[in-house]
Amino acid sequence: MKPGQTFTDLAALAAHLRQELENKKTILLYAYNGTGKTRLSMAFKDIGKQGEGEDEKRDTLYFNAFTEDLFHWDNDLEGDNDRRLMLNAASRFFAGLAELEMDNRIRPLLQRYADFDFRIDTQEWAVRFSRTVGGQVIDNIKVSRGEENIFVWCFFLAVVELAMDPEIEAYRWVKHLYIDDPISSLDEHNAIAVANHLAQLLKRPESKLKTVLSTHHTLFFNVLCNELKNAKRYFINKNSAGSGYVLREETGDTPFFHHVAALAELYQAAQEDRLFTHHFNMLRTILEKTASFHGHKNFSACIKQQEDDPDGILHARLINILSHGNYSLYEPQQMLDENKAYFRKILHDLLNRYPFNPELFPQAVEATGTP
């Protein structure tokens, strides 16, 4: 990592990032919570604003906590029936809402992540949600906070696709994207899916948009680094020697190997006894990458053989079965105690069989033994 550059405030740092984007299409920023990522995104946006009132011009489409505030609930407290998510009609974020058929643009994006549907009322500037249960459609439901967040995220992605199209007048003002931590409500498996999807969108050759992405999520940052290999990568810290901020460029091939970051997530989950069904998906992915690195054709080669199972068939079959399932994004299911024991055993053997950095795994995951 190169020596850091120090900036007196977030406005100076935002100005530097804009200068960097003159020669780069994408910048990735990693920073811990509390560093000021959201405020940095607003400082970046403010630099691109010129004029006031009807004459105001801007160049940045952003996603952050303020974007989510453009949506608010009317829960129909009197009738307790017509629950709807209201849109801030004054925001340019919703430009061309009726003319551009946003429903049809959002829906295929949302279907990647959720099982509910919606309809946008462009007269009331409201969104109503529905879900099919047992073949019956239930209207005007209030979705969970996580489901609301993923809807807002997919709305944003639909707007990004419009901004990439030079034929769309409503978003022709967009020259920069600034995306700050879009995955706060997603589990690890779906953080990878969201990062992959976002990277594919940003890599479209026809897009001329310049992008900054900031996050505190290690795994999300890793996937973006692996997918967007030409992006500049930085770490932001508050200046420990005084006021201001330090920006350090990461110049290695990968800042944290994404499979090692995933393994660290699993290690911590096992230590804290918060193992969910989707963690088997992550474990299988890690085993597959490890097997590929060592030249094996099947992940079962990386499963330690037991005396009563010399071919490693039992644990391989367990992973095959338990890593396939339609698991919920927002209501993950705890593993059964029996499966937790199997999971810990496989993970424990993997960590002890291969020379992973002990600093990342300071305490061996206790093997509880198979039931």
Side-chain angles (χ1 to χ4, degrees), residues 194-364:
V194 168
N196 278 324
H197 182 206
L198 176 59
Q200 298 311 311
L201 179 64
L202 296 179
K203 286 194 293 188
R204 290 184 182 178
E206 68 271 19
S207 173
K208 304 300 180 184
L209 302 181
K210 301 296 186 76
T211 305
V212 178
L213 297 106
S214 57
T215 184
H216 74 284
H217 195 292
T218 303
L219 186 57
F220 185 70
F221 183 71
N222 252 301
V223 179
L224 290 173
C225 288
N226 287 325
E227 294 289 340
L228 300 170
K229 296 186 182 299
N230 293 324
K232 272 210 166 183
R233 305 188 298 261
Y234 290 106
F235 294 83
I236 304 174
N237 294 100
K238 289 183 177 178
N239 188 2
S240 59
S243 60
Y245 299 85
V246 178
L247 186 71
R248 292 183 173 87
E249 183 180 356
E250 169 58 54
T251 57
D253 289 338
T254 50
F256 325 104
F257 286 105
H258 126 214
H259 62 282
V260 176
L263 187 59
E265 295 273 0
L266 294 184
Y267 168 81
Q268 196 65 31
Q271 290 289 90
E272 298 173 1
D273 193 28
R274 50 176 181 83
L275 290 170
F276 295 91
T277 49
H278 69 264
H279 285 133
F280 267 107
N281 296 65
M282 294 178 63
L283 181 57
R284 181 193 176 103
T285 299
I286 291 168
L287 287 167
E288 288 174 341
K289 289 182 179 296
T290 305
S292 177
F293 177 80
H294 288 282
H296 298 295
K297 294 181 179 180
N298 194 291
F299 71 85
S300 60
C302 294
I303 296 176
K304 182 180 178 181
Q305 296 177 357
Q306 308 299 314
E307 291 183 3
D308 58 348
D309 184 25
D311 296 323
I313 294 174
L314 174 61
H315 287 169
R317 283 179 176 172
L318 280 168
I319 291 176
N320 267 324
I321 294 171
L322 296 173
S323 64
H324 290 84
N326 186 20
Y327 301 132
S328 169
L329 272 68
Y330 303 107
E331 297 179 1
Q333 299 296 311
Q334 281 268 4
M335 286 185 197
L336 298 174
D337 288 341
E338 180 180 15
N339 292 337
K340 286 182 179 180
Y342 283 124
F343 183 93
R344 287 192 177 96
K345 176 62 176 171
I346 298 169
L347 180 62
H348 173 265
D349 289 341
L350 179 68
L351 290 172
N352 284 280
R353 187 178 183 186
Y354 297 100
F356 291 100
N357 185 349
E359 293 182 4
L360 296 174
F361 311 100
Q363 297 177 350

Side-chain angles (χ1 to χ4, degrees), residues 175-195:
K175 308 300 179 186
H176 297 98
L177 300 176
Y178 198 115
I179 301 171
D180 177 49
D181 268 339
I183 54 129
S184 58
S185 296
L186 296 182
D187 59 44
E188 298 94 333
H189 175 72
N190 289 290
I192 295 173
V194 168

Side-chain angles (χ1 to χ4, degrees), residues 97-115:
L97 182 64
E99 296 85 352
L100 297 174
E101 298 181 342
M102 291 301 294
D103 298 60
N104 295 331
R105 298 178 185 273
I106 298 169
R107 188 164 285 109
L109 298 169
L110 185 65
Q111 288 173 346
R112 289 171 173 255
Y113 309 107
D115 63 354

Side-chain angles (χ1 to χ4, degrees), residues 35-266:
T35 304
K37 298 190 309 311
T38 301
R39 288 179 289 124
L40 176 61
S41 67
M42 300 309 287
F44 186 98
K45 177 263 299 182
D46 288 341
I47 294 176
K49 289 176 60 177
Q50 297 179 353
E52 295 181 357
E54 294 182 357
D55 296 327
E56 181 185 275
K57 296 181 179 180
R58 61 183 66 185
D59 66 4
T60 304
L61 175 68
Y62 60 88
F63 182 94
N64 58 23
F66 290 98
T67 309
E68 296 176 344
D69 290 342
L70 298 175
F71 302 76
H72 69 276
W73 278 97
D74 178 347
N75 290 318
D76 187 22
L77 297 179
E78 292 185 3
D80 193 27
N81 180 52
D82 187 18
R83 304 173 190 87
R84 49 193 174 166
L85 189 65
M86 306 302 296
L87 312 179
N88 186 340
S91 173
R92 293 182 69 183
F93 182 75
F94 300 110
L97 182 64
E99 296 85 352
L100 297 174
E101 298 181 342
M102 291 301 294
D103 298 60
N104 295 331
R105 298 178 185 273
I106 298 169
R107 188 164 285 109
L109 298 169
L110 185 65
Q111 288 173 346
R112 289 171 173 255
Y113 309 107
D115 63 354
F116 60 88
D117 201 2
F118 69 96
R119 63 186 184 280
I120 300 176
D121 188 323
T122 56
Q123 300 299 315
E124 296 182 350
W125 287 79
V127 183
R128 291 177 173 84
F129 297 98
S130 63
R131 178 177 275 114
T132 301
V133 180
Q136 181 179 358
V137 177
I138 303 175
D139 285 318
N140 300 331
I141 64 171
K142 181 176 173 65
V143 297
S144 71
R145 179 56 61 89
E147 290 171 327
E148 177 190 342
N149 289 346
I150 201 64
F151 172 77
V152 174
W153 172 242
C154 290
F155 202 124
F156 174 79
L157 290 181
V159 173
V160 170
E161 289 184 335
L162 290 170
M164 288 180 171
D165 187 345
E167 302 299 320
I168 302 297
E169 177 65 32
Y171 295 100
R172 196 171 292 174
W173 53 273
V174 179
K175 308 300 179 186
H176 297 98
L177 300 176
Y178 198 115
I179 301 171
D180 177 49
D181 268 339
I183 54 129
S184 58
S185 296
L186 296 182
D187 59 44
E188 298 94 333
H189 175 72
N190 289 290
I192 295 173
V194 168
N196 278 324
H197 182 206
L198 176 59
Q200 298 311 311
L201 179 64
L202 296 179
K203 286 194 293 188
R204 290 184 182 178
E206 68 271 19
S207 173
K208 304 300 180 184
L209 302 181
K210 301 296 186 76
T211 305
V212 178
L213 297 106
S214 57
T215 184
H216 74 284
H217 195 292
T218 303
L219 186 57
F220 185 70
F221 183 71
N222 252 301
V223 179
L224 290 173
C225 288
N226 287 325
E227 294 289 340
L228 300 170
K229 296 186 182 299
N230 293 324
K232 272 210 166 183
R233 305 188 298 261
Y234 290 106
F235 294 83
I236 304 174
N237 294 100
K238 289 183 177 178
N239 188 2
S240 59
S243 60
Y245 299 85
V246 178
L247 186 71
R248 292 183 173 87
E249 183 180 356
E250 169 58 54
T251 57
D253 289 338
T254 50
F256 325 104
F257 286 105
H258 126 214
H259 62 282
V260 176
L263 187 59
E265 295 273 0
L266 294 184

